[in-house]
Structures are given as C-alpha cells and as structure tokens.
Amino acid sequence: DVLQILTDAMWVAARVSAPILLTAIVVGVLVGLIQSVTQIQEQTLTFVPKFMAVGLVLVITGSWMLRTLVDFTQELIARVPEYL
C-alpha cells in the first residue's frame, strides 16, 4: 500500500510540474539559440523570458494544478480507513 501511495504521489508530482519544466526548457533553449546566433551573452536575457513564460504557464494551468493536487489529497484522505 505504501509503495502504491508513493508511486501515485510521484506521478501526480510529475504531471503537475511538467508544464512549468517543459516551458522553462523550451524557452531556455530558444533564448540560448538566439544568444548564440547574435553573440549576445547577457545573463538577464535568459532569466527574464523564462520568468515571464513560467508566470504565464502558472496563470493558465494553475487552477488545473491545484485541482489535481486537491483531488489526490482528498482521495488519499478518503482511503485512510482502508489502510488502517
């Protein structure tokens, strides 16, 4: 039972964090490509677009992320009597 709970928790964490991580990776690669083409090596140039893109993704998918976490928690609490 404990292994199943941990497996489910890891899948939920992966699903919830995927949009943020994928966005940061894609924006980072695109900005890195632009920097290498233009030979502009400014550190803030990579930070600001990632920050804005991740913020936008949080605004768009934040309610889904919260709903996923709440559903998992409610299901876990509802199963407590089974586990005892």
Side-chain angles (χ1 to χ4, degrees):
D1 289 339
V2 172
L3 289 176
Q4 184 62 41
I5 293 170
L6 289 174
T7 303
D8 291 345
M10 289 176 64
W11 278 112
V12 167
R15 281 196 326 254
V16 167
S17 64
I20 294 171
L21 292 175
L22 291 175
T23 301
I25 289 170
V26 168
V27 171
V29 167
L30 290 176
V31 170
L33 183 64
I34 290 170
Q35 281 184 325
S36 66
V37 169
T38 61
Q39 296 181 353
I40 298 173
Q41 298 301 322
E42 180 64 34
Q43 293 293 10
T44 57
L45 188 62
T46 61
F47 177 73
V48 173
K50 280 188 204 176
F51 184 73
M52 299 294 281
V54 168
L56 181 64
V57 167
L58 280 174
V59 167
I60 293 170
T61 63
S63 62
W64 168 79
M65 290 176 179
L66 185 60
R67 173 64 20 211
T68 302
L69 291 172
V70 168
D71 289 345
F72 175 72
T73 304
Q74 287 176 341
E75 181 182 332
L76 192 61
I77 292 172
R79 284 197 200 160
V80 167
E82 279 179 38
Y83 298 135
L84 297 176

